[in-house]
Amino acid sequence: LTVDERNIVFQTTDNLISTLWVLCETVPWCLKQINSMALIPFLVSFFKVLGKLPASLVQTAGQFLYTLTDANPHAQRTLLGHPGATHTLFALVHTQHAIDEVSADDLTIVRILAGGILANVKAAALTQLEKTYKGHDDGAPEAESKPWDDLNRALLQIVSIFIQFDVDAAAATAAAAVKDIITARAAAEANGAEPPGGFKQEAALNQLHSRISYVQLALELAANIFTDEGAEDAELDEEEAPAASEDEHMDADVDDEDAGSDAEGITREFDEECNGIDDDDEGEEEEDDGVDFDINDMEDVLAEESTIAKEADDVVQQSILGVFIDAIVPSLQRLAKPTKLSTLATAVSECAHGTPSSDAVKAIVSVVEGFAALHERALSCFNNILLVIEESLKAWFRKHGDCVDQWWRLLIDIAQHLFGTAGSPGELSDTDQRLRFAVLEPTISCMWTLARSAQGAVPATQEQIEGLIHVCEQAPNSDLRVKAIGVLGNIACRKPGHVDENKRIGTYLLDSIVCAPLLAAGASSDSNAVEPIIEALDLIYDIYGDQGYDYDEPVFVRGGFLAKLRDCYLPMRKLVKTVDRRIRRELRDRGDLVVQNMRGFIDYKDSERRAA
């Protein structure tokens, strides 16, 4: 075949595979027919001849095979049963040599795809090995199991290099290309000529889009690896686990009947925070504190806290968590940071002079969508890391307050860029807002997880608190509003010395999130309005769970919070009943619980003050 004929064959094959790939992703009922087409050997064969085919064609085949083997037991069994398939993929993952006619970037992409496919079938492969060698004293031979055991670390090494992607340079390249295209088309239209096509700049933009999509794939793999293995690596022995402090559980068994509290109506977490209010016990504790306190006791406590934090730090550094924090997180921060092309308003200013034409807008929107998706994926991956550390190694945050501060400032900078810059006017406003909120939501998710993990010890300023309140007010959906409420509630838990911030947040949560919708004339019965109120009430129970907190008397008591909660009790119970248990069972259960706890909390706070 001639070169042109070969290119036609390659392009036709690429189009065919792409069509099947799209069907596999978007039309679930097609999967059974695609499984029956026995495509696995065909797709694997592309990896075997890398260097003899266009790298883009091998990558397309790899993307299809990656999608096909994702949560598809039939495809996974077929791949594992195909002779030499896993050997070929492992060889690519571990290759250290260049391949003729294949660029370094293209080879890295193929290696990532090969590793992703192997990651998809890893669980099935290990299950097969377990069944095959069942009854053998030593289990599966190391030669067969070790490649699978080492897969994630090998894949992470490739990913950590590939995601060192210069976002600012990519944005500058994209802006220059879009400018050139807009200028050339405007000149053609001014001369009455047909707008030209086939710009080299368009090819450059397509290449950039492709690279961004592969960076997103790498981030997806990293997030999956971390979710699957990070928590396992982070597990501590029960006596080492720093998940619960002595302060949180010291009163768990104290009888609070004398306080008049409805103990059955309060959750375990609420009990841990709020009981232990027997007058005689309190008096004894106060007397002990005044007479028998030994400075050595406090030193022992601090030493124990330090030991727990160090143990958590050691676990992180010796596990896959350490790889992520040292090698992946810095790249995630760079990828999450907005550029001039990350919002439509700034992109239009950067790429167009005056009012852009419809074609120019399409080109700009396409570029902005690519960067927004990249930021979103990087932030989601970062949130996965924070979630695993939160669940298993909270003490790590106590030892690394500098990381908490740095990460908080980064997230604030991202939020301010998205929410603090002027929006696009007119017809572009809806698209602009959609793209901004697409990145803002995972940003707020990260802030919420970080604030929870650090137990509110984030360097939030009054101005940032006002910004989060603004996000709550402008949120286009209840999910984002709930997340912003969660961030605010955790910030409000800071003590001592943050009374003014607590007052602003507590008053906003109670007055604006809880009371305003519940007590308004003709209050909404929309079940979507329930979740923000539930989240706010849960936080209020935690924030004001003890009269000993320095903000309780000046904020909760003087602010008349208890009377407001009493006024909201019946409307809240009525609103929760509007949630159809058959459709939204989890939300209804949460609502019923928060109403039950609301009664208990009101009784508890009332008895707390009377006992004082």
Side-chain angles (χ1 to χ4, degrees):
L1 296 177
T2 66
V3 173
D4 288 342
E5 289 171 337
R6 286 165 58 86
N7 287 338
I8 291 173
V9 171
F10 294 151
Q11 188 61 53
T12 302
T13 305
D14 196 300
N15 291 339
L16 175 62
I17 294 173
S18 296
T19 301
L20 292 171
W21 172 29
V22 171
L23 286 172
C24 184
E25 277 197 318
T26 59
V27 188
W29 58 264
C30 286
L31 187 60
K32 185 175 181 180
Q33 284 77 8
I34 292 174
N35 279 338
S36 68
M37 294 171 69
L39 291 171
I40 300 291
F42 172 66
L43 296 172
V44 171
S45 68
F46 286 85
F47 289 96
K48 296 180 179 180
V49 291
L50 179 63
K52 297 179 181 178
L53 297 175
S56 61
L57 178 55
V58 179
Q59 290 164 4
T60 301
Q63 285 185 303
F64 181 26
L65 187 53
Y66 172 72
T67 302
L68 189 59
T69 54
D70 182 22
N72 183 352
H74 179 274
Q76 292 171 0
R77 289 193 300 269
T78 304
L79 179 68
L80 292 171
H82 180 59
T86 56
H87 176 77
T88 298
L89 297 173
F90 271 118
L92 280 169
V93 169
H94 292 288
T95 187
Q96 300 294 325
H97 305 291
I99 297 178
D100 292 341
E101 306 300 326
V102 181
S103 71
D105 280 350
D106 284 336
L107 178 57
T108 302
I109 291 169
V110 172
R111 293 176 68 198
I112 288 173
L113 288 166
I117 295 162
L118 289 170
N120 282 346
V121 303
K122 178 181 176 180
L126 292 175
T127 300
Q128 281 189 8
L129 285 175
E130 185 179 353
K131 289 180 179 178
T132 301
Y133 293 97
K134 186 177 182 180
H136 290 63
D137 293 338
D138 297 331
E142 184 177 353
E144 294 188 43
S145 62
K146 194 172 190 312
W148 297 104
D149 294 336
D150 295 343
L151 173 63
N152 283 343
R153 285 186 180 271
L155 187 52
L156 275 182
Q157 290 177 355
I158 307 171
V159 168
S160 65
I161 296 172
F162 188 68
I163 64 176
Q164 292 175 6
F165 178 67
D166 193 333
V167 184
D168 290 326
T173 299
V178 172
K179 283 179 186 176
D180 289 344
I181 293 172
I182 291 173
T183 301
R185 286 179 175 169
E189 290 176 6
N191 295 326
E194 285 291 324
F199 288 110
K200 66 177 182 180
Q201 290 88 347
E202 290 179 336
L205 282 177
N206 290 335
Q207 188 176 9
L208 179 61
H209 276 299
S210 179
R211 178 64 187 271
I212 288 176
S213 70
Y214 284 121
V215 172
Q216 292 179 52
L217 172 62
L219 293 173
E220 178 184 324
L221 290 175
N224 290 342
I225 290 170
F226 193 81
T227 301
D228 292 342
E229 298 207 356
E232 294 177 13
D233 285 349
E235 286 180 356
L236 295 170
D237 291 334
E238 191 169 322
E239 64 271 14
E240 295 177 335
S245 68
E246 187 177 352
D247 289 340
E248 292 175 274
H249 297 293
M250 64 186 296
D251 294 330
D253 298 322
V254 177
D255 184 6
D256 62 354
E257 290 180 1
D258 292 339
S261 165
D262 182 4
E264 295 182 357
I266 305 177
T267 62
R268 180 174 61 83
E269 291 82 2
F270 180 70
D271 281 333
E272 291 170 354
E273 192 73 23
C274 298
N275 59 12
I277 51 176
D278 183 87
D279 289 344
D280 294 334
D281 288 346
E282 283 188 344
E284 290 175 8
E285 287 178 5
E286 289 177 4
E287 182 178 350
D288 289 345
D289 287 343
V291 176
D292 297 330
F293 178 79
D294 187 344
I295 189 65
N296 292 326
D297 294 338
M298 179 57 70
E299 290 176 352
D300 290 342
V301 170
L302 294 175
E304 184 179 354
E305 287 285 311
S306 177
T307 300
I308 291 173
K310 185 179 184 304
E311 288 172 349
D313 194 45
D314 290 343
V315 170
V316 167
Q317 292 305 318
Q318 294 168 13
S319 71
I320 206 168
L321 288 167
V323 177
F324 267 84
I325 291 172
D326 295 338
I328 303 294
V329 168
S331 293
L332 294 179
Q333 292 175 341
R334 288 193 297 272
L335 294 173
K337 205 168 183 179
T339 70
K340 292 181 179 179
L341 300 189
S342 297
T343 62
L344 190 53
T346 55
V348 168
S349 299
E350 184 72 12
C351 298
H353 300 290
T355 304
S357 66
S358 58
D359 287 340
V361 168
K362 288 179 183 177
I364 295 171
V365 168
S366 177
V367 171
V368 174
E369 285 177 335
F371 281 99
L374 179 63
H375 301 321
E376 180 184 2
R377 187 61 58 84
L379 288 162
S380 297
C381 184
F382 183 45
N383 195 43
N384 276 12
I385 296 172
L386 294 175
L387 284 168
V388 170
I389 301 177
E390 177 198 15
E391 291 171 4
S392 306
L393 293 164
K394 261 187 182 177
W396 184 90
F397 290 95
R398 294 203 293 272
K399 184 174 176 62
H400 293 278
D402 55 334
C403 285
V404 173
D405 291 353
Q406 178 196 347
W407 294 347
W408 176 264
R409 286 193 294 268
L410 170 72
L411 295 169
I412 285 293
D413 287 346
I414 295 171
Q416 286 178 339
H417 181 95
L418 295 168
F419 224 58
T421 55
S424 294
E427 296 178 357
L428 299 181
S429 61
D430 289 344
T431 304
D432 185 31
Q433 289 298 308
R434 173 178 61 82
L435 293 173
R436 287 174 190 253
F437 281 114
V439 182
L440 184 64
E441 187 157 343
T443 304
I444 299 298
S445 292
C446 289
M447 294 172 71
W448 188 12
T449 308
L450 184 62
R452 285 198 315 269
S453 302
Q455 297 176 315
V458 293
T461 65
Q462 190 68 50
E463 181 183 4
Q464 293 165 5
I465 290 171
E466 294 301 329
L468 286 163
I469 290 173
H470 187 53
V471 170
C472 280
E473 294 300 302
Q474 299 297 318
N477 55 63
S478 62
D479 287 344
L480 178 56
R481 200 175 197 206
V482 166
K483 291 169 184 175
I485 289 169
V487 181
L488 288 167
N490 280 275
I491 293 172
C493 289
R494 295 185 299 180
K495 50 189 174 290
H498 297 278
V499 175
D500 289 342
E501 292 96 327
N502 178 279
K503 181 178 181 180
R504 177 68 177 109
I505 294 172
T507 302
Y508 173 73
L509 292 180
L510 184 57
D511 290 353
S512 299
I513 303 298
V514 177
C515 295
L518 290 177
L519 302 180
S524 171
S525 60
D526 181 7
S527 61
N528 289 322
V530 177
E531 196 166 5
I533 301 175
I534 289 174
E535 186 64 33
L537 284 170
D538 271 337
L539 288 165
I540 288 169
Y541 305 158
D542 289 337
I543 296 167
Y544 302 103
D546 192 323
Q547 66 176 343
Y549 297 154
D550 66 335
Y551 50 68
D552 190 81
E553 197 276 336
V555 178
F556 189 91
V557 177
R558 295 183 199 171
F561 281 27
L562 188 57
K564 294 176 182 179
L565 286 170
R566 283 197 185 100
D567 291 341
C568 290
Y569 176 71
L570 291 178
M572 182 61 189
R573 188 169 67 175
K574 180 179 178 182
L575 178 62
V576 168
K577 290 183 181 297
T578 67
V579 180
D580 192 332
R581 191 184 299 276
R582 296 167 298 180
I583 299 174
R584 306 189 67 181
R585 183 178 185 85
E586 183 178 352
L587 181 63
R588 176 59 186 270
D589 289 345
R590 283 191 65 202
D592 288 340
L593 182 60
V594 87
V595 169
Q596 186 180 12
N597 290 347
M598 192 176 185
R599 178 70 268 169
F601 183 75
I602 291 170
D603 291 344
Y604 164 75
K605 293 300 286 186
D606 184 55
S607 65
E608 184 183 55
R609 283 295 155 187
R610 284 190 283 104

